Amino acid sequence: MNKLVVLGSVNADHVLQVASFPRPGETLLGHSYAVIPGGKGANQAVAAARLGADIAFIACVGDDSFGANMITEFGRDGINTQAVMVEQDTPTGIAMIQVAATGENSICISAEANACLTPERLAPHSKLIEQADTLLMQLETPIATITQAAKIANQAGTRVVLNPAPAQPLSDELLAVVDLITPNETEAELLTGIKVTDMASAQVAANALHAKGISEVMITLGSQGVWISKAGTGKQVKGFRVDAVDTTAAGDTFNGGLLAGLQAGLVLDDAIRFAHAAAAISVTRVGAQTSIPTKAEVDAFLA
Ligand code: ADP
């Protein structure tokens, strides 16, 4: 059995570079088309594995070549894929991403096989969750399943970590069984109604999340690092200064790195520093899973 279980999405990111975004009815020439492995669940699973965690992944892929390749790649990264299910007659989840010359993104996502991760599909894998130390989830798979998995974990004494991305409202029923939540500023605002503009407002937002029953809150602040709050007392842990090229999967790398660091026995501040280093390296590289470093690279960065 694996100490960390990640439950979440797998996406093929179809990325096209464009001079500017096409208007309705317009056809433009793009260039440098690439299909890059993505999906917040897969990104976090890969990050945790590359950064040293003992991990199993619960997910659904389609019965296409991308899905089959991903299962092979997850295995190469050392992930237990026994609960990565292949859905018949269904494509793997996709994101259609246009990147303009300005660096701006325009993204359209379709859940496809990710929508098949229903509570029924989860049921045969509940033992993986019950026997793990920690369950890590995001919000690109059905919320009913996320809520079910969180309850299974909660009853078994498995710690529930939720990265509430992409931003969407969540039920009190789900939040009540979350032990650690890791929103970015936008997600924290959507969940609490409090705009996070500085450290004081970060603590106010954290307090609103504590009031929902969540004992530990970590609000990621991009290049500013994170605001961590436990029992109403918070502090900032700064990140590393790097030349950012592409911040895709920064949050995913942070989440995977944090849990890998904690699993390795680091105290919280050191685990955050390890996660910051991993995420800082990832923003200097292009793409989602293509940008996630290994533990050896992070150790060298911190040396
Ligand atoms: P998300 O990608 O979910 O929006 P953030 O932008 O808050 O998350 O970033 C998550 C983490 O990634 C930060 O806490 C930090 O460790 C790292 N990070 C993000 N942007 C930068 C940056 N420009 N320079 C260095 N580290 C960064």
Side-chain angles (χ1 to χ4, degrees), residues 119-198:
E120 294 71 37
R121 303 291 272 134
L122 169 67
H125 305 294
S126 50
K127 265 217 159 48
L128 273 179
I129 296 174
E130 286 164 356
Q131 297 183 351
D133 295 336
T134 305
L135 170 67
L136 170 63
M137 299 185 288
Q138 328 70 34
L139 303 175
E140 283 183 344
T141 49
I143 296 291
T145 313
I146 291 165
T147 306
Q148 162 122 339
K151 285 183 179 170
I152 291 168
N154 185 256
Q155 283 207 334
T158 302
R159 187 168 188 236
V160 178
V161 181
L162 183 66
N163 174 231
Q168 56 192 281
L170 294 173
S171 69
D172 287 348
E173 181 193 17
L174 171 57
L175 294 175
V177 287
V178 171
D179 297 297
L180 163 64
I181 194 161
T182 60
N184 67 13
E185 291 146 298
T186 313
E187 292 143 12
E189 180 180 352
L190 188 121
L191 289 174
T192 64
I194 292 148
K195 197 165 178 59
V196 177
T197 51
D198 54 16

Side-chain angles (χ1 to χ4, degrees), residues 40 44 163 165 182-187 219-227 237-255 272-273 275-284:
K40 289 182 189 298
Q44 293 183 18
N163 174 231
T182 60
N184 67 13
E185 291 146 298
T186 313
E187 292 143 12
I219 301 176
T220 62
L221 308 166
S223 61
Q224 298 298 305
V226 289
W227 182 262
V237 181
K238 288 191 175 162
F240 293 93
R241 201 180 275 270
V242 290
D243 289 328
V245 172
D246 176 359
T247 59
T248 309
D252 295 334
T253 306
F254 178 85
N255 278 274
I272 292 173
R273 190 165 169 268
H276 275 328
I281 295 171
S282 82
V283 305
T284 65

Side-chain angles (χ1 to χ4, degrees), residues 8 15 21 61 66 79-80 122-123 143 146 210 228 264 293:
V15 186
F21 299 122
V61 297
F66 187 85
I79 296 169
N80 172 355
L122 169 67
I143 296 291
I146 291 165
H210 289 316
I228 59 168

